[in-house]
Amino acid sequence: MSSFFKNSTYSTMKHLLTHATRYMIVFGFLLLGYNAQAQIDLGVNGGANINQLNSPGVYTGLNIGVFASYDIDSSYFGFRAGISYNQLGGGRSDYTDAPESTDFTTTYINRQVAFGNIEAPLFANFYLTKENPIRPRITVGAVYGYNISTTEYRDYRLVNNTTDIYSVYSGDTENVRADFNEHHFDVAAGFGIDFTIANERKAFIEVIYRQGINQMNAVNFGRVGNVGKVYTNSLMLNFGMTLFKL
């Protein structure tokens, strides 16, 4: 039953995002047809993220990518799409492993999960001014991500149940990609400022909040610290600059 709902939810979100992307592409071509002189700006962007899952603990990550943007002449609207590498993640609950066949108990503590995603963001920009050198804006959009790596960082405490002597070990890591869904969907909203700089290039700074809308955990049973729904959210500070026009 849970597998049915997971597959159904994934199919529905994939369908919606696929059609939204198609509509944006068609809209872009309509804009190009409307204005024969229209040009698309190509550039690079990067920044830092403060990430959290729906549990205590944060993970700081980075993002870097390339983008294409188009602003409608003499209007308040534009859009931006791109491809990027982004690091998401956050803290997870401690858990204890106490096999009956041994005299030792292991408690995993200070757990953090880091997702490495290849992402395709699609944003709409609503500017507060027209054709000024400095243009504040509001940004909304959606992001599809494909997970290429998932690592858990943790410490653990090993206790001898007979003597109560324990040791604490730091820096333990584990590849846990198989424990999480590969596909990741976010909705996003934020604000930014675009600048016109030398040689008609543009730059921007923005703050974006992203909320994951699909449940990421693929573990349905097992230790308490590994089961339960997992959703991501991020606060991102990004910088970008156009390099040339297409």
Side-chain angles (χ1 to χ4, degrees):
M1 182 68 70
S2 61
S3 176
F4 169 79
F5 283 113
K6 180 177 72 174
N7 293 335
S8 176
T9 301
Y10 163 66
S11 298
T12 300
M13 289 185 292
K14 181 180 179 181
H15 175 79
L16 291 174
L17 285 180
T18 298
H19 280 277
T21 302
R22 288 174 180 171
Y23 292 147
M24 290 296 288
I25 293 172
V26 171
F27 183 56
F29 280 113
L30 289 175
L31 291 174
L32 292 175
Y34 172 74
N35 184 355
Q37 302 300 318
Q39 290 183 311
I40 297 175
D41 291 306
L42 302 180
V44 295
N45 62 273
N49 320 325
I50 299 176
N51 308 291
Q52 188 172 25
L53 305 177
N54 53 319
S55 55
V58 298
Y59 173 76
T60 302
L62 301 174
N63 70 85
I64 186 169
V66 296
F67 69 88
S69 64
Y70 175 76
D71 294 336
I72 304 173
D73 291 342
S74 302
S75 79
Y76 294 94
F77 180 74
F79 66 91
R80 184 174 90 235
I83 298 293
S84 61
Y85 173 76
N86 192 24
Q87 295 175 325
L88 304 175
R92 300 208 70 189
S93 302
D94 299 346
Y95 74 87
T96 298
D97 188 9
E100 295 181 359
S101 58
T102 70
D103 292 329
F104 294 91
T105 298
T106 304
T107 301
Y108 295 95
I109 58 177
N110 302 325
R111 300 174 65 207
Q112 283 190 325
V113 173
F115 301 104
N117 286 355
I118 299 296
E119 298 186 338
L122 184 63
F123 295 132
N125 294 326
F126 300 91
Y127 294 98
L128 304 183
T129 62
K130 285 185 180 181
E131 299 182 341
N132 287 339
I134 299 177
R135 302 181 71 190
R137 59 173 160 82
I138 296 172
T139 297
V140 296
V143 182
Y144 166 74
Y146 180 78
N147 178 249
I148 60 173
S149 67
T150 306
T151 304
E152 179 173 313
Y153 302 92
R154 64 200 178 196
D155 304 328
Y156 65 94
R157 181 169 56 244
L158 184 65
V159 181
N160 186 313
N161 298 326
T162 302
T163 63
D164 287 333
I165 297 175
Y166 70 90
S167 299
V168 176
Y169 300 89
S170 300
D172 188 39
T173 63
E174 182 181 358
N175 180 354
V176 292
R177 183 170 182 259
D179 293 345
F180 295 90
N181 295 321
E182 295 178 337
H183 304 281
H184 186 206
F185 300 91
D186 280 6
V187 292
F191 61 90
I193 300 176
D194 289 12
F195 306 88
T196 299
I197 55 179
N199 300 321
E200 296 186 352
R201 290 182 178 177
K202 300 176 183 178
F204 68 80
I205 180 173
E206 65 184 7
V207 176
I208 300 291
Y209 175 76
R210 288 176 38 175
Q211 176 62 56
I213 59 176
N214 67 311
Q215 197 281 121
M216 294 294 294
N217 195 4
V219 178
N220 297 316
F221 61 90
R223 301 180 182 91
V224 174
N226 289 341
V227 297
K229 295 181 178 180
V230 173
Y231 293 91
T232 65
N233 62 82
S234 301
L235 185 64
M236 308 176 68
L237 176 63
N238 294 332
F239 304 88
M241 183 177 70
T242 63
L243 299 179
F244 55 89
K245 293 181 180 292
L246 184 64

